């Protein structure tokens, strides 16, 4: 982006100060040879009593990034306060530098924002009840260190079984990663998203003031209802990188 901006500014600086242009109509033949696509796509839908407006970046993105000490949704939740946050993630690393060159980057398809509305019942007015950020696809190695999770997450831990927030008696709200007879989430130092059949297709994080049932993508199983506050959904094609709780190395010098 910096290179593109610099090039644009340089091009502008080379334009003659007295330059001028005049618009002229294009013929049908000229128009037929012109094609293009907007940077963003906007779509509207309705589902289960809510209206949705999605703004998507119709693009493929490669990413290497380290995020640390993420605490989202800090408020008192009497039934189970946990660490005091819906998401308490000390490490979230996209990509790794301790493996092959291909594993340094995570592939993301079509990032989007989606706003959620509902009718107020007064003069056809609607109010925003929240939004979510997600990706149509994500593939690669992601290091994780999660203390508390509010959401629906499922990880295949191989011979150790399945790590699934839906096994939590509290329904995944402010879950500390423990459950009877299963591998704790704290043992998972990261996940591989996607497999030979394609990327993981259901990653999103929502912020809501009321529970919302989002519609699943075509061919995907029904989604768990997202709860008020911060809610993370990620269940498709996730495999544990390790069960030692060790987050992979991802040094900037390895790019």
């Amino acid at each position: 982006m910096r290179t593109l901006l610099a090039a644009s500014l340089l091009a502008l600086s080379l334009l003659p100060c007295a330059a001028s242009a005049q618009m002229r109509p294009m013929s049908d033949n000229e128009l037929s040879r012109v094609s293009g696509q907007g940077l963003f796509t906007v779509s509207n839908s309705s589902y289960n009593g809510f209206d949705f407006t999605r703004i998507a970046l119709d693009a493929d993105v490669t990413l290497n990034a380290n995020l640390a000490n993420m605490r989202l949704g800090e408020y008192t939740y009497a039934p189970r306060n946990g660490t005091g946050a819906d998401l308490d993630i000390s490490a979230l690393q996209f990509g790794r530098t301790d493996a092959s060159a291909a594993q340094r980057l995570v592939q993301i398809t079509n990032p989007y924002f989606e706003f959620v509305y509902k009718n107020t019942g007064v003069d056809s007015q609607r109010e925003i009840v929240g939004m979510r950020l997600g990706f149509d696809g994500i593939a690669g190695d992601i290091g994780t260190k999660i203390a508390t999770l509010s959401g629906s997450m499922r990880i295949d831990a191989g011979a150790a079984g399945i790590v699934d927030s839906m096994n939590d008696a509290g329904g995944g709200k402010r879950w500390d990663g423990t459950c009877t007879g299963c591998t704790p989430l704290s043992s998972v130092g990261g996940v591989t998203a996607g497999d030979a059949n394609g990327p993981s297709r259901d990653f999103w994080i929502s912020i809501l003031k009321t529970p919302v049932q989002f519609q699943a993508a075509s061919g995907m199983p029904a989604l768990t209802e997202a709860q008020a506050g911060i809610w993370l959904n990620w269940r498709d094609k996730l495999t544990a990188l390790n069960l030692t709780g060790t987050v992979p190395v991802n040094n900037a010098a390895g790019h």
Side-chain angles (χ1 to χ4, degrees):
M1 290 297 289
R2 287 195 296 270
T3 303
L4 179 59
L5 178 59
S8 300
L9 291 174
L10 177 61
L12 289 173
S13 70
L14 295 176
L15 290 175
C17 295
S20 62
Q22 182 177 359
M23 297 182 65
R24 67 174 182 82
M26 297 177 68
S27 68
D28 289 343
N29 185 49
E30 288 174 317
L31 286 171
S32 69
R33 297 196 299 270
V34 176
S35 63
Q37 178 175 317
L39 179 62
F40 298 99
T41 59
V42 180
S43 59
N44 297 300
S45 62
S46 298
Y47 184 70
N48 203 36
F50 293 95
D51 296 325
F52 304 89
T53 296
R54 178 177 292 202
I55 303 172
L57 177 63
D58 191 13
D60 295 329
V61 179
T62 56
L63 176 67
N64 181 287
N66 294 330
L67 305 178
N69 301 321
M70 295 175 55
R71 286 177 57 85
L72 304 176
E74 292 186 294
Y75 57 88
T76 300
Y77 180 66
R80 180 193 281 173
N81 211 39
T83 66
D86 284 338
L87 291 183
D88 188 351
I89 303 175
S90 59
L92 184 63
Q93 298 181 180
F94 294 86
R96 58 192 299 183
T97 55
D98 62 348
S100 70
Q103 291 169 287
R104 292 177 181 172
L105 296 173
V106 171
Q107 313 295 322
I108 294 173
T109 303
N110 198 28
Y112 65 84
F113 289 96
E114 189 168 56
F115 297 93
V116 187
Y117 310 85
K118 72 173 182 178
N119 291 324
T120 64
V122 179
D123 298 328
S124 299
Q125 294 180 355
R126 296 188 302 170
E127 65 172 332
I128 295 179
V129 299
M131 63 164 293
R132 66 172 173 168
L133 164 67
F135 312 125
D136 280 353
I138 180 169
D141 289 349
I142 297 97
T144 60
K145 198 70 174 177
I146 302 174
T148 300
L149 166 72
S150 283
S152 181
M153 189 172 191
R154 181 186 186 277
I155 302 170
D156 185 346
I162 301 296
V163 181
D164 193 344
S165 63
M166 292 297 96
N167 290 329
D168 170 46
K173 183 70 172 179
R174 294 274 173 98
W175 182 46
D176 65 1
T178 62
C179 55
T180 303
C182 69
T183 300
L185 185 59
S186 60
S187 298
V188 179
V191 297
T192 296
D195 58 20
N197 295 314
S200 176
R201 300 162 292 170
D202 64 351
F203 174 89
W204 48 264
I205 297 176
S206 63
I207 175 170
L208 304 166
K209 63 180 182 180
T210 186
V212 171
Q213 179 66 61
F214 290 98
Q215 188 171 12
S218 177
M220 296 288 290
L223 297 170
T224 302
E225 184 179 55
Q227 298 301 304
I230 304 293
W231 189 262
L232 181 149
N233 188 89
W234 202 7
R235 302 181 63 82
D236 183 45
K237 299 188 184 77
L238 294 185
T239 305
L241 282 176
N242 63 62
L243 296 178
T244 63
T246 304
V247 178
V249 175
N250 191 35
N251 295 324
H255 298 311

